[in-house]
Amino acid sequence: MVKFMLKCFVLCSVLLFGVLIGMQQANQGMLKMKGYNDPELQGAFQVESEQTGDVEASILGNKVTSQDLQQKQEQLEQIEAFNFFSQVGKQFASIVSNGISTLVESFAEWINRFLR
C-alpha cells in the first residue's frame, strides 16, 4: 500500500511539473510569435532571487512564500476534518475483526467438545 501511494505521489508530481513546464513553453512560444516582450504576459512558474539572498517564487502569477505555507499548515492542523470513508472503513474493520474472532472462538469450543 505504501509503495502504491508513493508511486501515485511521484506520478502526480511528475505530471504537475510537466504541466507547469508545458505552460512555460507555451508562454515562450507566444512571446516568439508576438515578436516583442509584453510585460503583462507572465510565465507559469517564476523564481526570482533578490540581492539579500531571499528567493521569491510565483506560480501562475500568485506569490508563494514560506510564511504562506506555514499559515496554511497551521490552518490545516486546526481543522479536524471528518473523513466519511475512513470512519466507514474503521467500522467495517471492527465488524470483520469481531466476526472472525467469534468464529475462531466457536470453532475452538467445538474442537474442545469434540476431543473430550
Side-chain angles (χ1 to χ4, degrees), residues 7-103:
K7 287 179 184 178
C8 286
F9 176 73
V10 169
L11 180 65
C12 289
S13 299
V14 168
L15 291 175
L16 174 69
F17 286 118
V19 167
L20 289 175
I21 290 171
M23 293 173 85
Q24 186 70 26
Q25 291 294 327
N27 181 32
Q28 290 175 357
M30 289 175 66
L31 286 175
K32 287 180 185 177
M33 191 171 62
K34 271 187 154 184
Y36 62 93
N37 192 5
D38 188 3
E40 292 186 19
L41 198 59
Q42 298 178 355
F45 184 76
Q46 296 176 346
V47 177
E48 299 171 359
S49 59
E50 297 177 359
Q51 293 176 351
T52 60
D54 294 336
V55 177
E56 282 189 8
S58 64
I59 298 175
L60 299 175
N62 296 328
K63 299 269 185 196
V64 178
T65 62
S66 61
Q67 294 171 349
D68 292 340
L69 295 176
Q70 289 174 352
Q71 289 174 352
K72 287 180 183 179
Q73 182 179 4
E74 290 173 3
Q75 183 181 11
L76 286 175
E77 288 174 356
Q78 289 175 355
I79 296 173
E80 294 181 12
F82 176 75
N83 190 346
F84 174 74
F85 294 108
S86 175
Q87 294 298 325
V88 169
K90 287 178 184 177
Q91 289 178 352
F92 181 71
S94 66
I95 290 171
V96 169
S97 177
N98 291 337
I100 295 296
S101 63
T102 304
L103 284 173

Side-chain angles (χ1 to χ4, degrees), residues 104-116:
V104 169
E105 287 175 6
S106 63
F107 183 72
E109 289 177 14
W110 181 75
I111 288 179
N112 283 336
R113 277 189 260 149
F114 181 72
L115 292 177
R116 287 186 191 180

